[in-house]
Amino acid sequence: MTGAGNHVIPNVHFRKVNGMQHGRMNRVMMRTWFNQPARKDRRAKVRKAKIAKIFPRPAAGLLRPVVHPPTQRYNMKLRLGKGFTIEELKEAKIPKKMARTIGIAVDHRRRNKCVESLQTSVERLKTYMSKLVIFPKRSGKKGVKKGDTPRSELKNVAQNTLREIIPIERPKLLEKCRAITAEDKEFSAYKKLKKARTDKKFLGAKLKKQAEA
């Protein structure tokens, strides 16, 4: 039934389900996904072919640093960054032009904001360099350059197939239940923060007073 007045007679197409139909319960405009298993198999084959092509280099590509994502929402997590800074390479004693040739990603835009991140990246670079195997470019004695791994050590070298080359050591955020100690009861987070803010506020005046004395 329609309301009062001259209206169009309702003709709603209730029989249409998931698009147009052709004949009784025979849908002709539905998106199917029957090729999903075949595509999965194809992607796996492409990955294997790529890994075999770049042998003996690591399957993951270039070595990247471990960084904290931006914003307060994600900065407690760890992930791989774009590349190592010039300062990190300098600390690890790796020339920046050589770094890219031995599978280390370099990012000249990134800056180190704290000593901890710098030390973590330097340790990662040193671990990588201790395990690095450099193949000579050509056969024969003339093809061997300074820094290349001796040919005796190049037999049966396994390819690194790890996702991150050197796994990221993620800290355990969950702590096991324990009894509350007397020290925990005495501790006040409010007083600790209040003291830190006060110290920061009067630091300039304190240093000025010390300089004058």
Side-chain angles (χ1 to χ4, degrees), residues 131-182:
K131 297 178 179 181
L132 183 67
V133 176
I134 300 175
F135 281 69
K137 278 191 173 180
R138 297 178 190 86
S139 60
K141 290 182 180 180
K142 290 184 179 180
V144 180
K145 287 187 178 181
K146 187 183 176 183
D148 290 353
T149 308
R151 292 189 188 279
S152 59
E153 296 178 20
L154 297 176
K155 293 175 182 177
N156 302 323
V157 174
Q159 187 179 22
N160 187 318
T161 54
L162 297 173
R163 193 177 177 184
E164 296 150 346
I165 301 176
I166 300 170
I168 298 172
E169 292 182 10
R170 290 181 170 84
K172 292 181 179 179
L173 301 175
L174 295 173
E175 285 191 18
K176 289 183 179 180
C177 297
R178 59 178 178 82
I180 298 168
T181 60

Side-chain angles (χ1 to χ4, degrees), residues 77-210:
K77 295 186 177 184
L78 292 171
R79 66 167 173 82
L80 293 179
K82 186 182 179 183
F84 291 91
T85 62
I86 307 299
E87 192 180 352
E88 287 166 356
L89 293 168
K90 200 178 284 183
E91 282 286 320
K93 297 177 181 177
I94 301 168
K96 61 182 179 181
K97 286 186 177 178
M98 179 191 168
R100 192 66 176 74
T101 63
I102 56 172
I104 298 170
V106 182
D107 184 8
H108 63 89
R109 294 183 183 89
R110 210 178 114 239
R111 298 285 179 270
N112 291 102
K113 298 291 181 75
C114 65
V115 181
E116 289 82 0
S117 69
L118 176 69
Q119 288 174 347
T120 305
S121 296
V122 170
E123 283 299 314
R124 190 171 171 82
L125 284 167
K126 285 180 178 177
T127 307
Y128 178 77
M129 292 301 290
S130 67
K131 297 178 179 181
L132 183 67
V133 176
I134 300 175
F135 281 69
K137 278 191 173 180
R138 297 178 190 86
S139 60
K141 290 182 180 180
K142 290 184 179 180
V144 180
K145 287 187 178 181
K146 187 183 176 183
D148 290 353
T149 308
R151 292 189 188 279
S152 59
E153 296 178 20
L154 297 176
K155 293 175 182 177
N156 302 323
V157 174
Q159 187 179 22
N160 187 318
T161 54
L162 297 173
R163 193 177 177 184
E164 296 150 346
I165 301 176
I166 300 170
I168 298 172
E169 292 182 10
R170 290 181 170 84
K172 292 181 179 179
L173 301 175
L174 295 173
E175 285 191 18
K176 289 183 179 180
C177 297
R178 59 178 178 82
I180 298 168
T181 60
E183 190 181 344
D184 293 335
K185 289 178 181 178
E186 288 175 12
F187 177 76
S188 173
Y190 171 77
K191 287 178 181 177
K192 184 89 173 173
L193 290 169
K194 180 85 173 174
K195 181 75 168 58
R197 287 194 194 100
T198 310
D199 291 345
K200 186 184 176 183
K201 186 178 180 181
F202 295 109
L203 179 65
K206 189 179 178 182
L207 293 172
K208 188 179 178 183
K209 196 174 182 181
Q210 286 175 357

Side-chain angles (χ1 to χ4, degrees), residues 53-72:
K53 189 180 179 181
I54 64 171
F55 179 86
R57 299 182 199 84
L62 301 174
L63 179 77
R64 300 186 188 277
V66 178
V67 297
H68 289 271
T71 72
Q72 282 186 323

